[in-house]
Amino acid sequence: MSQFSHEPGADAAWLSAGRGMPPALSWGFFTDAPLIALGVAREGGRTLAADAGGGLYLLDPAGRIEHLQRGLKDLSALAFADSGAAAAAAFGADTLGWIEPDLKVKWRQSMPATITAVAVDPHGRHAAVALSNGDVTVYTNRRKKLARFTALRPLDHLRFLATRPLLVGAADRGLIASYDLRGRQELDVKTWANCGDLAVTGDGTRMAVAAFNLGVQRFDGEGRVRDTLSTGGSPAKVALAFRGWGPLAVATLEHELFRLNAAGEVDWAAPAPGAIAGLALDAPGRQMTVGFETGRVVRLEFFTDG
């Protein structure tokens, strides 16, 4: 049962219930139905949220509704460009869609297998889709097929870099791989740990994997393990700042929320009031956006750079 309330001050209790200096609540928002996907534009700070009732919400940096679209009841996954210029989405099990800034669906493309991950490049010009048969296809924003290749295993997570045309993906049992937009593989890392989430800095020099009972594993851009961070629970979601060894955010299966500094030390930790469906950091890592399955979305402001 969610502990969230629409009453003023309801968030203050759980934010201050943990250890470390609690963040300030910048804003809070409720979707009309349970949250299924969350994306944050690292440039400008807009937030894109989708709920199970078919609602799609674009929130401005202050958490106010900028655009609202209803009737997208088959939307199942979402990726939001860092620029806020576009989004890629999965509709149902096997349809890729391109969403414009006004939240209108510009096009849909049927896939030959189940979609396992979607990504959109930081500038909102390309979408990538990973399938259960291992195929990965890259499209332009005009639905032109740019590349198609097959990964060693089906990719459950997919991210574009910001500084060069490269895709980074992760699969079950710890495979991390990167590909250029022609499908040529550059990175092949086997960590032998299940992957709950993948985060990559904008320049690709740092990566982090939420490896459940193994903790959070951090890698450099060459795929070398730098350290493994323990939060005392089972990390299921992780988010990184834009570049370098900056701060990171972690959410666990036990409904705990953490902000760690660049050294991997816990700055703040608190028991969250429900299951976490989405987690994001802004470019410097000072603002954390958290989406809960209940439909509550909050933006937290930290007072240290980490």
Side-chain angles (χ1 to χ4, degrees), residues 91-107:
F91 291 93
D94 58 3
T95 300
L96 175 69
W98 184 270
I99 298 175
E100 296 282 81
D102 60 2
L103 304 189
K104 293 180 180 178
V105 181
K106 184 177 181 180
W107 52 260

Side-chain angles (χ1 to χ4, degrees), residues 126-127 137-140 143-148 181-183:
H126 301 92
T137 306
V138 181
Y139 291 90
T140 69
R143 199 163 44 175
K144 179 182 178 181
K145 187 182 295 185
L146 191 64
R148 180 180 176 183
L181 296 192
R182 296 185 181 274

Side-chain angles (χ1 to χ4, degrees), residues 7 20 30 45 57 65 77 126 153-154 171 183 197 245 265 279 299:
E7 293 298 322
F30 277 95
Y57 312 77
I65 293 178
H126 301 92
R153 289 202 296 273
D197 197 11
W245 290 118
E265 302 162 338
L279 184 66
R299 176 158 296 169

Side-chain angles (χ1 to χ4, degrees), residues 30-57:
F30 277 95
T31 57
D32 292 336
L35 186 72
I36 60 171
L38 180 75
V40 176
R42 289 193 282 199
E43 297 177 16
R46 287 180 172 84
T47 300
L48 188 62
D51 70 24
L56 188 60
Y57 312 77

Side-chain angles (χ1 to χ4, degrees), residues 46 81 86 113 155 157 174 191 206 257 283 288:
R46 287 180 172 84
L155 300 177
H157 309 279
T191 67
R206 302 290 184 267
L257 193 60
M288 181 191 300

Side-chain angles (χ1 to χ4, degrees), residues 40-120:
V40 176
R42 289 193 282 199
E43 297 177 16
R46 287 180 172 84
T47 300
L48 188 62
D51 70 24
L56 188 60
Y57 312 77
L58 180 63
L59 308 179
D60 71 11
R64 298 170 300 217
I65 293 178
E66 194 168 291
H67 291 288
L68 172 61
Q69 183 74 273
R70 300 192 185 279
L72 301 176
K73 293 184 179 181
D74 55 346
L75 195 152
S76 55
L78 192 65
F80 194 28
D82 277 348
S83 64
F91 291 93
D94 58 3
T95 300
L96 175 69
W98 184 270
I99 298 175
E100 296 282 81
D102 60 2
L103 304 189
K104 293 180 180 178
V105 181
K106 184 177 181 180
W107 52 260
R108 300 189 189 212
Q109 178 69 44
S110 296
M111 296 290 119
T114 300
I115 294 174
T116 57
V118 295
V120 64

